[in-house]
Structures are given as C-alpha cells and as structure tokens.
C-alpha cells in the first residue's frame, strides 16, 4: 500500500465524470488499498477514486465511524437504486481542505455495487451512512459538496471528520 496525493478543489480532475471499472482486478484492488491508506492518513470517512486522480467509478466509505471505525465499505460501479427522506448536516471533504458546509442529503439510500472481491451486492443505509454514500457517489459525477452546500465556512475543529 502507498499513500497517494489527494487532488484538491480547482483541479479539473474533480469535475469529470468517471468511467466504470471493467473488471475488479488486482490492479484495481491495489488502488483501493492505496485509497484506504490515504483516507485513514487524512482522518477521512470516505474517499472516491477521482480524489486520488483515478477516473473510475469506485469509492470507499465508513458508514458508521462512531461504532465501527474500521468498517470500510467498498463500492465499485455503484448505482443508487432508491433514496428517500431528507436530512441536513455539516460536511467536509478531503478535496476541499479546511472548509465545511451544510448539505441536504437523503435520509435513506439503497445502493448496488461490486465489493472488493468483485461480488455484486445491494446495501441500505440510513442517517450518516446515507450521507457518506451520497457524498462519495457525487464525486464520481464530478459533483462536490460545495455545489450543494449553504453557509460554507472554515472548519472550527482541526480533527473534524472529512469525507
Ligand atoms: Zn468528498
């Protein structure tokens, strides 16, 4: 595993639509391993491939960091098949360092994708899990939380969790 540089806002890479992963190979898993290490090194709870300059549809998220800080979910070629409700929460992003802002997200999300082994599965998330899945999914279409956020301001706490 190796740390990768996190692409920051202003780089056009973050504004592109990512292409699907053709096959979950060892090369893809190697990138995912690097993404996990990079996310952890930055105290993040989510990271999408374009954030390390890889234009492929995949991300990693920790849907319940309070109770299961190591419970990383891998999503390759994800597809949101259902969402409902609404919630407003403050978000940050590893690619937008130092800032946070309030974003509206679905309260519930059902998402289908391939896992680390290339197996397809459908997962459901509520609350924070739905936020992080929605945030990371947006990255794959070149959308950043700051596009949706109101009241963007400097983060107060240095170690605030960022996605
Ligand atoms: Zn982000």
């Amino acid at each position: 595993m190796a740390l990768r540089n996190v692409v920051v806002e202003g780089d056009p890479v973050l504004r592109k639509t990512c292409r699907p992963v053709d096959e979950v190979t060892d090369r893809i898993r190697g990138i995912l391993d690097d993404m996990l290490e990079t996310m952890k090194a930055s105290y993040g709870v989510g990271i999408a491939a374009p954030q390390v300059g890889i234009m492929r549809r995949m991300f990693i998220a920790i849907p319940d960091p309070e109770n299961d800080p190591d419970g990383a979910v891998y999503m390759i070629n994800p597809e949101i098949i259902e969402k409902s409700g609404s919630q407003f929460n403050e978000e940050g992003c590893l690619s937008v360092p130092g800032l946070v802002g309030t974003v509206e997200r679905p309260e519930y999300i059902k998402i289908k994708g391939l896992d680390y082994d290339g197996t397809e599965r459908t997962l459901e998330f509520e609350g924070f899990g739905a936020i992080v899945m929605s945030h990371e999914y947006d990255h794959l279409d070149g959308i950043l939380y700051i596009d949706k956020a109101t009241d963007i301001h400097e983060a107060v706490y240095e170690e605030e969790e960022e996605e």
Side-chain angles (χ1 to χ4, degrees):
M1 293 208 287
L3 282 179
R4 297 198 177 216
N5 290 326
V6 175
V7 177
V8 294
E9 207 259 326
D11 191 317
V13 153
L14 292 173
R15 295 307 191 173
K16 292 180 177 161
T17 300
C18 296
R19 284 170 296 142
V21 173
D22 297 325
E23 196 186 341
V24 183
T25 58
D26 285 344
R27 188 184 151 268
I28 291 292
R29 278 187 277 272
I31 295 168
L32 289 166
D33 291 344
D34 289 353
M35 285 167 60
L36 183 70
E37 190 177 340
T38 304
M39 180 186 81
K40 287 187 165 179
S42 308
Y43 304 102
V45 292
I47 190 167
Q51 292 184 276
V52 294
I54 304 289
M55 306 315 292
R56 294 289 177 172
R57 300 188 78 79
M58 56 186 192
F59 66 74
I60 301 171
I62 300 190
D64 189 4
E66 246 170 67
N67 298 309
D68 190 7
D70 293 320
V73 172
Y74 295 83
M75 271 288 163
I76 301 164
N77 297 342
E79 207 181 311
I80 295 172
I81 49 181
E82 204 180 318
K83 56 185 172 182
S84 64
S86 158
Q87 57 176 325
F88 291 83
N89 272 286
E90 200 165 78
E91 295 182 19
C93 179
L94 297 178
S95 294
V96 190
L99 298 179
V100 292
T102 303
V103 185
E104 182 179 12
R105 298 286 182 188
E107 170 61 31
Y108 164 86
I109 212 166
K110 187 191 270 190
I111 188 166
K112 184 173 88 173
L114 306 176
D115 67 13
Y116 190 86
D117 298 319
T119 308
E120 186 181 291
R121 76 267 195 271
T122 301
L123 300 173
E124 295 174 285
F125 299 95
E126 291 178 334
F128 183 80
I131 294 173
V132 69
M133 291 295 150
S134 172
H135 176 119
E136 301 309 330
Y137 185 89
D138 276 352
H139 274 297
L140 308 183
D141 289 327
I143 300 165
L144 298 176
Y145 87 88
I146 49 173
D147 305 342
K148 300 178 168 180
T150 55
D151 77 331
I152 296 165
H153 60 276
E154 280 184 30
V156 179
Y157 302 108
E158 256 179 36
E159 292 191 9
E160 188 141 7
E161 284 167 344
E162 299 187 87
E163 286 137 33

